[in-house]
Amino acid sequence: AQKVTQAQTEISVVEKEDVTLDCVYETRDTTYYLFWYKQPPSGELVFLIRRNSFDEQNEISGRYSWNFQKSTSSFNFTITASQVVDSAVYFCALSGGGTSYGKLTFGQGTILTVHP
Amino acid sequence: GAGVSQSPSNKVTEKGKDVELRCDPISGHTALYWYRQSLGQGLEFLIYFQGNSAPDKSGLPSDRFSAERTGGSVSTLTIQRTQQEDSAVYLCASSFSGGYGYTFGSGTRLTVV
């Protein structure tokens, strides 16, 4: 069975602080995919990133960066110089490969509040 | 359309009534997925369609829940004899085969009173 654990239920920071959201996963699949989604107050799930299990390169997109480490089964997400607009619920998710792709197992989510 | 469209956006129903939730996927997306988001259970997978077939229904919580997809496009999730624990946001997503372009809709908020 697959499992995703997001250690932080809620994080509160002040604008311009850096913040890291932790994600640890469990799977027996050798091919799998990891995702991060943002859910702002409007409710829609906004795709942020997808990584496959064979690509451990870290990725940076503007103020966002992701650290994928297979050795610790972690896929952590860092926001640099946080802004109020980053306030949202963030979900880490996992899917298998092949026909299992698309069946996402989500973590419980981390509520991020950025104060001005 | 440009995105995944779900209707209605909000639905209030009386306990025991049947409800139908609709999902219009992005044109050309062959795969379609239903999820449920509730306070107690988080985001849960319900069912997956590839074309009109549902190879994975493992997440449907009971036999009161069913879903169909017609013409490889629109999907309907039906909940019979609704219970208060069915109250949740029901999310639909679609993608090309292989998962490319995986996109969620805005969801239907179902409240059973």
Side-chain angles (χ1 to χ4, degrees):
Chain A
Q2 299 185 327
K3 185 178 178 182
V4 176
T5 303
Q6 293 181 246
Q8 304 111 329
T9 305
E10 289 192 56
I11 300 177
S12 181
V13 299
V14 176
E15 212 169 16
K16 296 192 178 124
E17 281 186 41
D18 297 348
V19 57
T20 295
L21 283 62
D22 296 331
C23 173
V24 173
Y25 62 92
E26 295 176 30
T27 181
R28 292 182 181 174
D29 293 342
T30 52
T31 300
Y32 55 88
Y33 297 83
L34 294 161
F35 302 78
W36 275 96
Y37 283 88
K38 174 181 180 180
Q39 189 174 44
S42 60
E44 194 157 342
L45 279 168
V46 178
F47 169 83
L48 296 178
I49 190 170
R50 178 186 79 163
R51 301 309 299 266
N52 72 54
S53 51
F54 300 108
D55 183 1
E56 283 192 75
Q57 269 195 322
N58 291 332
E59 180 150 342
I60 298 174
S61 176
R63 296 184 297 107
Y64 295 169
S65 62
W66 292 269
N67 184 307
F68 175 27
Q69 292 195 349
K70 285 180 79 168
S71 61
T72 55
S73 298
S74 65
F75 187 45
N76 297 337
F77 172 35
T78 297
I79 302 174
T80 303
S82 59
Q83 300 176 1
V84 172
V85 293
D86 296 328
S87 297
V89 184
Y90 290 85
F91 291 95
C92 181
L94 167 69
S95 82
T99 56
S100 296
Y101 187 90
K103 178 181 177 180
L104 300 182
T105 299
F106 285 87
Q108 287 299 100
T110 296
I111 302 170
L112 174 65
T113 304
V114 182
H115 299 280
Chain B
V4 178
S5 178
Q6 292 187 246
S7 60
S9 53
N10 278 285
K11 176 74 176 178
V12 180
T13 190
E14 291 181 357
K15 179 180 170 182
K17 301 275 191 187
D18 298 351
V19 294
E20 284 189 352
L21 312 180
R22 178 186 168 107
C23 173
D24 277 282
I26 291 174
S27 179
H29 280 191
T30 56
L32 186 147
Y33 317 84
W34 284 98
Y35 291 84
R36 179 170 73 172
Q37 185 173 22
S38 57
L39 275 176
Q41 302 298 322
L43 268 157
E44 308 171 278
F45 167 83
L46 297 178
I47 187 170
Y48 153 57
F49 286 93
Q50 181 62 43
N52 293 335
S53 302
D56 192 339
K57 309 178 185 179
S58 61
L60 294 178
S62 76
D63 58 8
R64 295 187 296 104
F65 286 72
S66 63
E68 66 174 13
R69 188 178 185 197
T70 55
S73 181
V74 172
S75 176
T76 302
L77 177 69
T78 301
I79 310 172
Q80 296 178 309
R81 305 182 302 283
T82 52
Q83 303 294 313
Q84 287 186 329
E85 61 262 28
D86 300 334
S87 296
V89 176
Y90 290 82
L91 290 160
C92 176
S94 69
S95 75
F96 291 109
S97 182
Y100 299 102
Y102 203 108
T103 305
F104 279 89
S106 300
T108 293
R109 181 175 296 278
L110 175 67
T111 304
V112 182
V113 297

